Amino acid sequence: MSPRELVVLGTAGQVPTRTRNHNGYLLRWDAEGFLFDPGEGAQRQMLLAGVAASGITRLLVTHFHGDHCLGVAGIVQRLSLDRVPHPVHAHFPAEGAHFFDRLRHATSFHDVADVREHPVTGPGVIAEGAFGVLEARRLDHPVPAYGYRVVEPDGRTVVPELLAARGIGGPAVRDLEPPLLDEVSVPRRGQRFAFVMDTRLCDGAYELAEGADLLVIESTFLHADERLAAEHGHLTARQAARVAAESGVRKLVLTHFSQRYPDPEAFRAEAAEVFDGELVVAADLDRVVMPKRR
């Protein structure tokens, strides 16, 4: 079982740079691999990051601007080339289904992968499984856009001292009846991951971020260019940090940076004025581990 971590494949905004590839983010969550917004070059970035196409179980596109989806064609073809044996579920705004179809069938190839399309038609739960629940919320961008959220069910954690006090150990722990299990354990909150890409400030962004252990969010502009951010449907670093601070986020990952800014530390400084939790200014090929449970 893989650790729960985010593998950052690309962090550029509309235009890639010498040091930043187009978007791409692989969330490794136990046996699942959620690939978000693969832009151009996603396959090569996966190679550099040491992750295989066989690790992808879900493909999620927030919206159909090229820097968030032009890598879909290559990824889908790679799934077939590598004979990935399991189904890969694809989630994307229903309004852009024709774009997904064009990307999926962009060229001639031996199409043997089991890619199952699930167009997102509105906010709410869009998938459930052993991983928990996958949710979507509308974002505010010039084209239809959704953010996504993975929520693990709440559970319980056994306390060794309480087991010892009752003389319980070994295989007997696995066979505890519910009433006794409640007596020797404490509630364990499920972990939450949120992914918010191109958007202005909106209710959907806050709903996705609420109580997230790890929030990945675009911060295309700095505060001095807030007007430009609003015009183009984006956030500033300060606004992204505000979403995190007001939503009780534990670990904040800023990404999707405009090429107009040469110093990424400016985003950190601006966000830190608002958000006092753990803060990551993402760079290509970073690995960001989910925070430990409280």
Side-chain angles (χ1 to χ4, degrees), residues 73-97:
I75 293 296
V76 168
Q77 293 187 29
R78 187 59 180 269
L79 296 173
S80 285
L81 183 66
D82 289 359
R83 295 293 197 277
V84 171
H86 54 259
V88 174
H89 300 271
H91 307 274
F92 49 85
E95 297 92 333

Side-chain angles (χ1 to χ4, degrees), residues 106-130:
T107 68
S108 175
F109 69 104
H110 187 42
D111 188 0
V112 296
D114 184 5
V115 178
R116 303 182 183 181
E117 299 180 19
H118 306 280
V120 180
T121 58
V125 174
I126 59 174
E128 297 183 63

Side-chain angles (χ1 to χ4, degrees), residues 142-165:
V143 300
Y146 284 93
Y148 300 102
R149 168 182 169 98
V150 181
V151 181
E152 177 187 40
D154 294 338
R156 299 191 71 83
T157 298
V158 172
V159 180
E161 293 80 4
L162 297 178
L163 288 172

Side-chain angles (χ1 to χ4, degrees), residues 13 22 39 41 43 60 69 86 113 137 147 153 166 170 183 209 218 230 240 271 292:
H22 265 166
Q43 281 192 83
L60 304 98
C69 68
H86 54 259
R137 294 289 187 278
R166 290 165 175 76
E183 294 178 11
E218 70 115 320
K292 291 184 178 180

Side-chain angles (χ1 to χ4, degrees), residues 6 8 192-197 205 209 212-219 235-255 257 267-283 286 288-291:
L6 179 77
V8 180
R192 303 178 184 187
F193 168 86
F195 187 79
V196 178
M197 277 296 114
D213 296 280
L214 181 62
L215 167 64
V216 179
I217 187 169
E218 70 115 320
S219 59
L235 297 173
T236 66
R238 181 175 298 179
Q239 289 172 330
R242 174 181 158 192
V243 171
E246 295 180 5
S247 302
V249 168
R250 295 179 61 200
K251 191 171 186 177
L252 170 62
V253 178
L254 300 179
T255 188
F257 307 111
F267 292 88
R268 183 188 307 278
E270 184 168 296
E273 295 175 0
V274 181
F275 179 73
D276 62 2
E278 190 173 356
L279 174 60
V280 176
V281 176
D286 275 354
V288 183
V289 178
M290 286 287 292

Side-chain angles (χ1 to χ4, degrees), residues 223-243:
H223 179 67
D225 295 312
E226 184 176 10
R227 180 183 58 79
L228 280 176
E231 288 177 359
H232 295 286
H234 287 289
L235 297 173
T236 66
R238 181 175 298 179
Q239 289 172 330
R242 174 181 158 192
V243 171

Side-chain angles (χ1 to χ4, degrees), residues 23-45:
N23 286 280
Y25 311 86
L26 179 67
L27 175 66
R28 302 173 72 189
W29 183 280
D30 302 338
E32 299 282 338
F34 297 83
L35 178 61
F36 296 89
D37 280 5
E40 288 181 77
Q43 281 192 83
R44 185 170 184 274
Q45 294 297 96

